[in-house]
Amino acid sequence: MNVIIQKFGGTSVKSSEMREHAASHVIKAQQDGCKVVVVVSAIGREGDPYATDTLLSLVNKDRSYIGHREKDLLISCGEVISSVIFTELLLSKGIRAAAMTGPQAGFRTNSDHGDARITEMHCEALIDKLKEVDVIVVAGFQGESTDREITTLGRGGSDTSATALGAALQAEWVDIFTDVEGVMTADPRMVEDAAIIDSVTYQEICNLAYQGAKVIHPRAVEIAMQAKIPIRIRSTMMETPGTLITSVTGGAVGADLADRPITGIAHMAGLTQITVKDKDYLNLQANVFKEMAKANISVDFINIQPYAVIYTVPNELADKAVSILEKKGYSPEAVKDCAKVSAVGAGMTGVPGVASSIVAALAAENIQILQSADSHTTIWVLVKGEDLKKAVSALHRMFELSSRSVQK
Ligand code: ADP
Ligand code: MG
């Protein structure tokens, strides 16, 4: 049985016109002789009646009295509705299809409501069903904990649903259909002439995704990488092949990387930079991060200097972080609304001058660098939010990411 997975995101199922496009991809794969397991997200974005944020707004007006358990119950409905509507469309076209919830399809998770991790897949019922029908439409983003509670997998969770099914069913590949033509050298909402990348490695896309390129969830990539299942990121509206994600890029392995020091530019907005200074530096370093961890505040972009620690937190946690530090007797400084821009590339190792070129490109645009760091695959800079678009464009231009063909 040749199985493929096809995942359709919120915008790909938002209207009957879009669902027609989506259905045409499913029908084509089915006619090519594959059994198709479709994963759908909830229909549309906030404002659309059954979108995740709309459902949440039903209970989240001023203050919400329900907890994460009930919120998961509520928002899991969005994907269930979407799966049934899409199944009906397929049936209306004469395709043998059936809908399944995440738990029915076999998703077992831990109990971390709102951001649950998949722990096991029990796909026996789905495999049985696949003997009766040609297409199963699974509600993405959800599962069931060992104590049989409904859980959800966090933002971007349907991507993870898709690759987890791909791994469990040993699918030929996983198609992630979305509103862009593939993985691009930068978010096309930031850089108009961003180029489509024909092929990337799991590692490259994982790095881009962790740095904010939300075209696919990084956890989804890790699952596919472990199971060695190729992913294709494609446009629902078009027939174009999109971006192929495997363990090697197209063309000669190795030769490609030297030509491509930078794969793309990713960004993450909405960060606050916190600086804490104290003469007692040994205690300072230990205390600050212990307190942040105790309060469950995720910290990033940590720079430690002799008498100061500098790091970022999401804007919405900044006030909490500052008040905790003040209670401990520190006088933290906070710069709100910063953004992290990352130049990501597996071929950057040993290529001289990348960091200095970045500094020069930003200086030429009068963009102040608030902080920077680098690893063998990524260079990060923190800039003010108002400089974000200019900074992403400047780096994109500097590395000539739009002009050249990325396919080798
Ligand atoms: P879906 O609902 O289909 O999951 P998302 O909105 O989660 O879609 O992801 C697609 C979006 O990711 C695009 O509309 C684009 O703005 C954004 N994006 C960010 N970085 C990139 C990138 N490097 N390449 C392509 N898209 C990107
Ligand atoms: Mg998404």
Side-chain angles (χ1 to χ4, degrees), residues 7 156 159 214-215:
K7 179 251 167 180
D159 295 337
K214 68 165 188 164
V215 63

Side-chain angles (χ1 to χ4, degrees), residues 22-278:
S24 72
H25 291 292
V26 178
I27 292 168
K28 184 165 183 309
Q30 190 258 335
Q31 284 171 347
D32 287 345
C34 296
K35 293 274 185 178
V36 188
V37 177
V38 173
V39 174
V40 286
S41 297
I43 292 174
R45 292 275 185 268
E46 181 159 22
D48 294 320
Y50 310 114
T52 308
D53 287 318
T54 312
L55 295 173
L56 267 179
S57 74
L58 295 173
V59 292
N60 243 352
K61 289 218 171 64
D62 295 321
R63 178 179 160 186
S64 172
Y65 291 90
I66 60 167
H68 295 299
R69 176 183 177 276
E70 281 76 14
K71 271 190 196 159
D72 270 358
L73 263 183
L74 175 66
I75 57 180
S76 67
C77 297
E79 274 71 15
V80 175
I81 292 169
S82 184
S83 69
V84 174
I85 290 175
F86 198 69
T87 300
E88 194 197 31
L89 176 65
L90 294 173
L91 288 168
S92 76
K93 294 176 182 298
I95 303 289
R96 297 190 305 159
M100 284 183 133
T101 67
Q104 287 174 334
F107 287 85
R108 302 291 177 269
T109 73
N110 65 12
S111 302
D112 196 359
H113 284 287
D115 195 24
R117 303 289 169 116
I118 298 168
T119 50
E120 280 174 49
M121 297 292 289
H122 288 276
C123 297
E124 301 78 15
L126 184 147
I127 290 165
D128 275 351
K129 197 60 143 194
L130 218 41
K131 291 173 190 148
E132 291 164 32
V133 298
D134 293 319
V135 181
I136 293 184
V137 186
V138 177
F141 174 67
Q142 54 183 261
E144 181 183 71
S145 63
T146 38
D147 40 5
R148 309 216 65 185
E149 301 282 5
I150 301 291
T151 54
T152 64
L153 307 179
R155 296 281 153 167
S158 293
D159 295 337
T160 312
S161 304
T163 57
L165 277 170
L169 302 173
Q170 295 183 318
E172 308 280 305
W173 70 81
V174 176
D175 275 337
I176 304 278
F177 286 96
T178 184
D179 60 355
V180 284
E181 261 192 84
V183 177
M184 307 183 82
T185 48
D187 187 340
R189 286 171 219 232
M190 279 282 154
V191 179
E192 273 137 36
D193 58 356
I196 294 159
I197 307 174
D198 299 292
S199 71
V200 287
T201 62
Y202 294 114
Q203 210 61 59
E204 284 175 287
I205 187 73
C206 219
N207 284 345
L208 276 171
Y210 271 119
Q211 299 314 323
K214 68 165 188 164
V215 63
I216 185 165
H217 197 285
R219 211 178 285 161
V221 181
E222 280 167 359
I223 292 172
M225 176 161 61
Q226 266 176 10
K228 299 190 174 64
I229 304 211
I231 305 175
R232 300 190 305 180
I233 302 206
R234 306 175 58 190
S235 159
T236 308
M237 299 283 288
M238 293 180 227
E239 295 298 324
T240 43
T243 302
L244 177 67
I245 306 172
T246 58
S247 51
V248 289
T249 52
V253 181
D256 195 32
L257 293 180
D259 271 4
R260 183 159 118 187
I262 300 292
T263 315
I265 313 294
H267 70 274
M268 204 181 280
L271 302 172
T272 295
Q273 183 193 40
I274 296 182
T275 305
V276 200
K277 293 182 184 153
D278 199 73

